[in-house]
Amino acid sequence: MSPFDRRLEVMTATRLQGLLTPFAGIPDSLYLAEGSRAEVGEDGLYRLPPRGRLETDSYFNAFYLNFWRAHGRLARVGVLCRVQGAVAVQVLAHMAGGGVRVVDDWMEVGDGQESLHWVWAEVGDIGAPEVLRLSLSVATVDGALIEEMAFVTEPVIGPVPRLVVGICTMNREVLLEGTLTALAELAEETPLLQRVLLINHGRPFQRPELRKLLKQPLFRKVQQANLGGSGGFARAMLEAQEGEEGPTHLLLMDDDIRLDPRVILRAMAFAQMAGEVAVGGQALELERPHRLQEAWGQLGRNWLPMVEGVGTDLSDPASMQLWSRVPKADYNGWWFCLIPMSALRRCGLPIPCFIRGDDIEYGLRLREAGVPVVPLPGVGVWHASVRYKHAGIVHYYDLRNSLITAAAHPQLGDLPGAMHVMGYVLHHLLVHRYRSVEACLMALRDFLNGPDMALSTDAAWLHRQVTKTVESVKAPERCEAPQTGMRLLQPFSVKDPDPSPWQVVLLVLLVLFRPAQHGIRLLQKGAPDPMRIAGLPYLLALDPEGKTCLVLRPHRLRFIGYLAQTLWLGLQYALWRRAARRSWGRALPRLLSRDHWLREFATRSL
């Protein structure tokens, strides 16, 4: 190959995944594997000292070949290098059985010029099924500067990708400002990002820097009544379809995240290679940035969301096994979800469920339309932890919306049975979360009453009514957890076996007849488990360290009243749930329509 042809090949190669340096405030272990000895200079580049080494088999820098192979159209894989100094480069293949083999190695002696090595062509088919991922091992004797390293493929022929970002926000200006700043920096580097749609449900923005930022042409602000996440994202979908940008993709993101904008380029590259897929990003904990909140979502029995990967320490090399299989996800949270506009036009607008479940239902709709939801590893954002949010209001939407989702997709399964629904309410009752019980009972009534009553008014007004009803129940007091003498309980998981009816009866009797316990010795971090609480008072942590807690105690008279309501509504649900499903099924096409959403957007009830 002539020098001109080689240079042309380098220039036209499609970058799939570039080497990322650690993001500010994030542990290096998410970017560099064990054995690395490298520094990041003020210019944001890796510097290898004499006898330095760079190992990239980490969450953010491994190249997950199994995902790209399953959904992409890769012909060859290459490594593009731009270094100053002399380095020895190895491309490592990590196998399904746990082994590692070298698939290519070479000496790179550079002065800042780009070079390209086709590792697939030179060593054979590294796309064999037993290869899970690729990583780089880079070593130097005298020291070197790594200006760029990236996995690439041959030029991709197709439409030029164009991206619009949609963010729904409500009074979270500090985190939002960081996200918008990152997007503005990305737009300066690439013409890929054409517009950021900011759907504001809260007060007018107060922070001077944020208001100055929003004057840039990149941003378009839409002020509307509080229609919840589903209303905000529905507005973003409509604006993206009817705007002048003509995007190929819409990226939906929350406002309570911290964003590394470089992962957007990675997600777009995957979407360009894979065709019509929705690319989801993982949610890492904002409070503990090395911890995973959710890798992807699947629905289990009775339509319960099964969160995968929760609590995984991504700085632990063993965590890489989480990505050893390519899952068939049912949905991905809309903290980061990239959807092709072609799929969006076919699937329509979200269900008007306010919050909690719009992404789940839409993920099912995408799947039914033949659009897989791919939770691409290495595409992560740091999201405010949901593990320590215990507001009872969300349980209204969790229960009601799961039933609506089941009614919207009868071909996937029947509605949950009456015993499950009563068990859902009893779960909260047996762990003394009385606001949550009130919310669940209201949700059950509204589902049985059907959409003509449950959604007869605008979503902002309905949310205020739900809030008023739930907050009429006395809130538990707050306290600081004692430093000693507390027994830490394991959190509840929906994957745990259900308690038997006799166990439930025993727990009910314990709450009714156990003498009052004045001292508290139990500390719960995460979702409380009735079997472990066993009717006793306990502290429920509001943060990872348990510094602030809710004091949750059994209340006998309140318990009896809620127990009677649960049994009565459970009986009504058993008798009328199929009639309610038919009612919701008939109404859903109207509720999903553009006209319905336009009426919602026109409301002035801020």
Side-chain angles (χ1 to χ4, degrees):
M1 180 181 293
S2 69
F4 175 81
D5 289 338
R6 181 168 291 277
R7 180 60 184 161
L8 180 63
E9 188 178 42
V10 170
M11 292 176 61
T12 59
T14 298
R15 285 167 172 76
L16 303 176
Q17 178 176 305
L19 180 66
L20 299 185
T21 51
F23 199 47
I26 305 302
D28 290 359
S29 54
L30 269 62
Y31 299 83
L32 299 176
E34 292 180 350
S36 295
R37 188 166 167 260
E39 302 170 350
V40 179
E42 294 182 358
D43 53 6
L45 302 178
Y46 280 117
R47 295 179 182 275
L48 301 186
R51 300 190 181 280
R53 177 175 291 276
L54 194 68
E55 301 288 344
T56 72
D57 188 35
S58 63
Y59 169 72
F60 274 115
N61 278 326
F63 182 69
Y64 300 88
L65 184 65
N66 53 345
F67 279 76
W68 290 83
R69 184 178 63 238
H71 295 283
R73 296 165 290 181
L74 295 179
R76 291 196 293 176
V77 174
V79 176
L80 185 145
C81 300
R82 184 157 52 90
V83 303
Q84 293 188 27
V87 295
V89 180
Q90 289 184 327
V91 180
L92 305 178
H94 299 262
M95 316 301 289
V100 180
R101 65 181 175 91
V102 178
V103 296
D104 200 2
D105 63 274
W106 66 90
M107 284 297 301
E108 186 77 27
V109 182
D111 56 0
Q113 294 294 317
E114 293 178 328
S115 65
L116 175 59
H117 299 265
W118 292 109
V119 297
W120 191 310
E122 292 177 8
V123 300
D125 184 12
I126 60 171
E130 64 269 17
V131 178
L132 300 180
R133 62 187 185 274
L134 303 177
S135 69
L136 301 174
S137 178
V138 184
T140 183
V141 174
D142 301 320
L145 174 68
I146 300 177
E147 296 184 351
E148 182 182 13
M149 282 193 171
F151 288 97
V152 301
T153 192
E154 295 174 324
V156 176
I157 299 174
V160 177
R162 299 179 301 278
L163 176 65
V164 167
V165 174
I167 301 175
C168 179
T169 183
M170 186 173 177
N171 303 335
R172 289 193 177 108
E173 294 191 14
V174 175
L175 286 171
L176 177 65
E177 184 177 315
T179 296
L180 297 187
T181 300
L183 292 171
E185 293 172 354
L186 179 66
E188 291 179 356
E189 298 175 3
T190 173
L192 173 77
L193 178 56
Q194 297 191 323
R195 179 75 70 186
V196 177
L197 301 169
L198 191 60
I199 315 301
N200 186 26
H201 288 168
R203 62 177 180 266
F205 297 116
Q206 305 294 310
R207 293 173 63 86
E209 288 301 316
L210 179 57
R211 295 173 65 161
K212 179 181 177 181
L213 189 64
L214 289 172
K215 292 180 180 179
Q216 296 185 24
L218 174 68
F219 300 104
R220 180 162 180 246
K221 179 171 69 76
V222 177
Q223 185 78 38
Q224 68 180 22
N226 179 17
L227 304 178
S230 67
F233 290 126
R235 186 65 177 266
M237 289 179 178
L238 269 180
E239 296 285 343
Q241 291 182 68
E242 299 178 359
E244 299 176 355
E245 292 79 13
T248 59
H249 293 80
L250 173 64
L251 173 60
L252 301 177
M253 290 196 300
D254 281 342
D255 63 345
D256 56 346
I257 65 169
R258 190 169 181 219
L259 171 71
D260 181 345
R262 298 172 296 181
V263 301
I264 294 179
L265 299 177
R266 185 173 294 185
M268 284 295 289
F270 186 87
Q272 189 178 12
M273 294 299 301
E276 202 175 42
V277 301
V279 184
Q282 290 79 59
L284 284 67
E285 286 190 19
L286 188 63
E287 300 83 357
R288 298 183 298 175
H290 63 291
R291 291 282 180 182
L292 182 62
Q293 289 194 70
E294 184 170 329
W296 64 84
Q298 292 177 313
L299 286 178
R301 54 195 172 88
N302 292 311
W303 301 84
L304 284 174
M306 309 290 284
V307 177
E308 297 293 337
V310 60
T312 300
D313 182 356
L314 294 176
S315 64
D316 184 350
S319 68
M320 300 299 288
Q321 293 302 313
L322 182 62
W323 320 108
S324 61
R325 63 184 180 91
V326 181
K328 292 184 178 180
D330 288 324
Y331 65 93
N332 198 96
W334 282 356
W335 46 74
F336 187 107
C337 191
L338 181 70
I339 303 176
M341 292 299 297
S342 58
L344 190 150
R345 292 187 184 95
R346 293 207 314 278
C347 293
L349 298 172
I351 198 166
C353 61
F354 198 78
I355 57 173
R356 312 283 285 192
D358 47 349
D359 45 14
I360 295 176
E361 192 280 329
Y362 206 86
L364 296 178
R365 223 185 303 170
L366 287 169
R367 194 183 72 176
E368 291 172 4
V371 181
V373 178
V374 183
L376 182 63
V379 176
V381 297
W382 291 270
H383 190 286
S385 177
V386 299
R387 190 181 184 192
Y388 306 99
K389 294 181 180 179
H390 303 292
I393 295 169
V394 300
H395 295 119
Y396 168 85
Y397 293 105
D398 281 342
L399 179 55
R400 189 202 67 175
N401 295 347
S402 69
L403 296 175
I404 295 174
T405 297
H409 300 272
Q411 68 280 9
L412 298 181
D414 197 2
L415 285 171
M419 293 298 292
H420 168 78
V421 170
M422 286 192 292
Y424 188 92
V425 184
L426 284 172
H427 179 109
H428 296 295
L429 186 58
L430 290 168
V431 296
H432 328 317
R433 295 204 290 192
Y434 299 118
R435 282 190 163 189
S436 297
V437 174
E438 185 70 42
C440 290
L441 294 174
M442 186 178 181
L444 199 50
R445 292 189 197 98
D446 283 356
F447 176 76
L448 291 174
N449 286 335
D452 291 338
M453 292 187 65
L455 300 182
S456 60
T457 56
D458 68 78
W461 183 90
L462 175 62
H463 182 67
R464 287 199 300 273
Q465 294 304 113
V466 173
T467 302
K468 182 179 178 180
T469 300
V470 172
E471 291 183 351
S472 67
V473 179
K474 184 180 178 180
E477 62 182 283
R478 296 189 177 209
C479 73
E480 294 184 3
Q483 298 299 311
T484 58
M486 301 299 293
R487 180 160 66 92
L488 183 63
L489 301 176
Q490 291 298 310
F492 173 78
S493 171
V494 294
K495 297 180 181 179
D496 292 342
D498 290 335
S500 69
W502 291 110
Q503 288 175 313
V504 175
V505 170
L506 178 60
L507 289 175
V508 169
L509 293 176
L510 280 174
V511 175
L512 288 175
F513 299 110
R514 170 177 270 165
Q517 304 286 319
H518 299 290
I520 299 179
R521 294 289 179 265
L522 304 179
L523 174 61
Q524 178 73 72
K525 294 183 179 181
D529 187 337
M531 298 296 294
R532 295 186 174 96
I533 300 298
L536 294 170
Y538 65 101
L539 300 183
L540 183 59
L542 296 174
D543 56 73
E545 290 76 29
K547 293 180 179 178
T548 305
C549 302
L550 296 178
V551 182
L552 294 178
R553 302 177 184 274
H555 189 287
R556 190 169 285 116
L557 290 179
R558 190 178 295 170
F559 183 91
I560 293 172
Y562 279 134
L563 179 61
Q565 291 183 62
T566 300
L567 296 175
W568 174 239
L569 273 174
L571 176 61
Q572 292 183 58
Y573 178 82
L575 294 173
W576 302 111
R577 65 191 180 106
R578 299 191 188 282
R581 182 180 65 182
R582 290 192 295 270
S583 175
W584 282 97
R586 287 192 299 268
L588 282 171
R590 170 176 55 83
L591 295 174
L592 296 172
S593 70
R594 181 177 181 274
D595 288 343
H596 173 84
W597 275 115
L598 289 176
R599 286 193 296 272
E600 288 283 298
F601 300 149
T603 183
R604 299 294 180 216
S605 53
L606 294 174

